[in-house]
Amino acid sequence: MIAVRFSISITFAVVTIILLSSSRFGGGARYTAAWALDSSPRRDGGGNDDNSAFTLIKLMIINRHGHRAPNGAFWRMCPNDLPNRRRFGVHPEGLTGVGLAEETAFGRYLRETYNDFISPSYNDRKHFVSAVGEPRTLQSAQSIAQALWRDGYGPRKFLPRRPQVVPVFSDIASHEYLLNDAPCWPRTKADATAWVRTVGAALAKDPANQKLITDLEALCGMSPAMAATRSLDMLIKTVIDGVIFTHDFGLTPLNGKIDKKTFFALRNLSNTFLLGKLYGTDAQKTYVAGNLPELMVETGRWLEGNGTYRLPSDFSATNEGDAVPRPVNIFCVHREMMYGLAFFWDWEYSVPDLAPGEVPATSTVILEYVRERATGRVWVRPKLWTPRPNTGGPLSLPGCAKKTLCAVEELQSIYLERVRRTGTWQTLCSWRGSIQFN
């Protein structure tokens, strides 16, 4: 069978900018480009290493899309919250105004923090933006770009305000294996179903959780017919997600009948189910992250080889191959990828007032690839940004000696240890390179 890979490019004009204050980590560090006159990165306060010893040479940015509205099924299952439906101002699952504002704040953070390294003018030889092919991820990418590459720097002889037109690349949904685990969906469904029927069912029978679920159904005004036919997974995913998204939008879910303690218990139960069913086995911790971990490693190897390193053959003529040589990569994904990376690399997210391991919408992993001036070695420094004030910061990799600063060979060693133990995602998901339609 011939392997086929489709790539879709979406372009848009940067028209408006929402000026917001963005939360910062590491004291709002600023970096200058490696090719600029002053190429010395300044100390950011986020790690234990002196930035004067390193030069920033690459940014890989993995962004969870902004806040969205609940699924349409939420209001069918929870009719008592129907008054809030119109207040979102978008269709079900759509990126909300809050989501757009959060992503715009993140774009501004990138502009203010990395200024000259990214440069105010979009350049397709330096910048690569890609998103999962769904409206909310594509809109998130656009919002970041609007704030990052502002009016006034676009080509002349266009519009007077000189907007910048930035392409956002995406793959056909059934073929996306870099930013989404589409080829693994049949395996994901089987593994998740097995977890829900065993571990999940046992959790639901716990007296405290059972009361939580029963009380939620009553507060929602769920009909007896719906309560009798709904699946446990649908209740946890759709209804609790809907309550959380309503709260995080700034609305009062269920007429204020859920107190803070109950709300956090629901959030914790939802997160436990999500992480359990998608990452409950060692194999899942490998395949849900798709090809992104390999890209992270191969990018480092390419940088160490100063462009002479030959990328794997399956990277040619793909989004991966396009991304590697460009100094700035921005990828907009779903939360499942954010958690997939955490489980693959064994780093931990910790955000106050959220469930263990949970990150809010718009949270972003920023990978700084830096070259050590004294030795020429390439290191990777992972950081978490969130839209919540005073959160985020360096991410620690247990397999790296310096924890928050990882040599490329250490990153490769962690990668190889995992795939040798579990198999690659291609093996685990029986992927042969052909298109799978679901």
Side-chain angles (χ1 to χ4, degrees):
M1 184 174 292
I2 298 175
V4 182
R5 185 168 178 82
F6 291 88
S7 185
I8 303 167
S9 175
I10 298 176
T11 60
F12 63 93
V14 175
V15 178
T16 59
I17 300 172
I18 304 173
L19 298 178
L20 296 171
S21 297
S22 59
S23 63
R24 300 177 177 280
F25 59 78
R30 290 177 175 269
Y31 289 91
T32 51
W35 54 82
L37 290 176
D38 177 10
S39 61
S40 302
R42 303 173 191 174
R43 184 168 179 79
D44 69 349
N48 299 319
D49 299 278
D50 185 355
N51 279 344
S52 64
F54 300 94
T55 299
L56 181 67
I57 56 175
K58 169 92 176 187
L59 284 174
M60 185 180 292
I61 297 158
I62 301 132
N63 165 261
R64 176 185 171 182
H65 66 74
H67 179 274
R68 71 169 176 89
N71 295 358
F74 167 61
W75 289 289
R76 292 195 297 274
M77 299 178 73
C78 201
N80 284 351
D81 205 65
L82 267 172
N84 281 326
R85 180 168 183 168
R86 290 185 178 274
R87 293 168 182 154
F88 283 95
V90 295
H91 292 293
E93 300 182 52
L95 194 69
T96 63
V98 168
L100 291 167
E102 289 171 344
E103 294 290 10
T104 300
F106 176 62
R108 186 183 178 195
Y109 165 80
L110 289 177
R111 172 164 52 83
E112 293 178 347
T113 303
Y114 297 100
N115 50 61
D116 291 342
F117 183 82
I118 294 181
S119 82
S121 298
Y122 172 78
N123 184 330
D124 62 5
R125 294 187 179 184
K126 296 179 180 179
H127 309 129
F128 184 81
V129 184
S130 183
V132 174
E134 294 181 39
R136 59 184 178 270
T137 43
L138 292 165
Q139 288 174 293
S140 293
Q142 293 172 10
S143 299
I144 293 169
Q146 284 179 347
L148 184 53
W149 292 295
R150 298 173 293 170
D151 288 3
Y153 296 90
R156 299 183 186 278
K157 298 186 178 181
F158 179 32
L159 295 175
R161 66 181 185 277
R162 292 177 59 193
Q164 303 194 65
V165 180
V166 178
V168 177
F169 292 86
S170 189
D171 278 305
I172 189 169
S174 60
H175 198 79
E176 177 63 84
Y177 59 71
L178 176 63
L179 305 183
N180 204 354
D181 64 335
C184 294
W185 286 346
R187 168 112 193 217
T188 298
K189 183 177 180 180
D191 287 347
T193 299
W195 186 92
V196 170
R197 289 176 176 172
T198 54
V199 181
L203 279 173
K205 289 178 181 177
D206 176 85
N209 290 333
Q210 201 166 36
K211 182 179 187 307
L212 199 63
I213 290 170
T214 301
D215 289 349
L216 179 62
E217 289 176 335
L219 288 172
C220 277
M222 189 178 295
S223 68
M226 177 66 75
T229 58
R230 58 85 181 152
S231 69
L232 175 64
D233 190 35
M234 189 174 185
L235 175 73
I236 301 293
K237 174 76 169 68
T238 303
V239 177
I240 298 181
D241 263 7
V243 171
I244 292 170
F245 295 165
T246 300
H247 170 274
D248 291 354
F249 187 65
L251 298 173
T252 301
L254 299 173
N255 301 311
K257 294 180 179 178
I258 295 181
D259 59 33
K260 186 175 181 179
K261 182 179 178 180
T262 302
F263 176 76
F264 187 80
L266 289 170
R267 189 159 210 153
N268 192 49
L269 179 62
S270 174
N271 201 58
T272 299
F273 261 73
L274 177 67
L275 301 186
K277 73 178 183 179
L278 293 184
Y279 316 98
T281 68
D282 204 23
Q284 286 175 296
K285 292 173 184 178
T286 296
Y287 73 69
V288 174
N291 220 47
L292 197 47
E294 183 182 6
L295 177 66
M296 293 164 61
V297 172
E298 296 300 338
T299 295
R301 298 183 71 189
W302 187 87
L303 290 168
E304 281 204 319
N306 293 310
T308 61
Y309 172 73
R310 188 177 180 86
L311 292 167
S313 59
D314 60 351
F315 275 39
S316 61
T318 66
N319 282 349
E320 294 100 310
D322 290 336
V324 170
R326 288 162 173 78
V328 179
N329 301 159
I330 299 176
F331 301 125
C332 292
V333 301
H334 293 287
R335 58 181 159 176
E336 288 80 4
M337 179 58 72
M338 293 287 290
Y339 298 137
L341 291 175
F343 281 105
F344 190 101
W345 297 112
D346 200 24
W347 63 48
E348 294 183 1
Y349 302 128
S350 180
V351 181
D353 299 322
L354 295 187
E358 183 184 5
V359 291
T362 314
S363 293
T364 304
V365 169
I366 300 174
L367 301 174
E368 297 178 351
Y369 289 80
V370 295
R371 191 180 303 280
E372 188 173 10
R373 295 186 178 190
T375 64
R377 293 177 74 192
V378 176
W379 301 75
V380 182
R381 182 161 41 201
K383 298 181 178 181
L384 176 68
W385 181 95
T386 90
R388 301 191 174 204
N390 304 313
T391 61
L395 292 170
S396 179
L397 278 77
C400 299
K402 292 180 181 259
K403 303 304 180 186
T404 59
L405 187 66
C406 195
V408 168
E409 59 266 26
E410 290 179 310
L411 200 69
Q412 182 182 17
S413 178
I414 298 170
Y415 172 85
L416 291 175
E417 181 182 351
R418 169 159 287 285
V419 299
R420 285 169 181 163
R421 184 173 70 246
T422 65
T424 64
W425 71 264
Q426 293 96 326
T427 300
L428 293 168
C429 301
S430 303
W431 171 251
R432 297 291 180 268
S434 59
I435 295 177
Q436 296 186 3
F437 292 96
N438 297 286

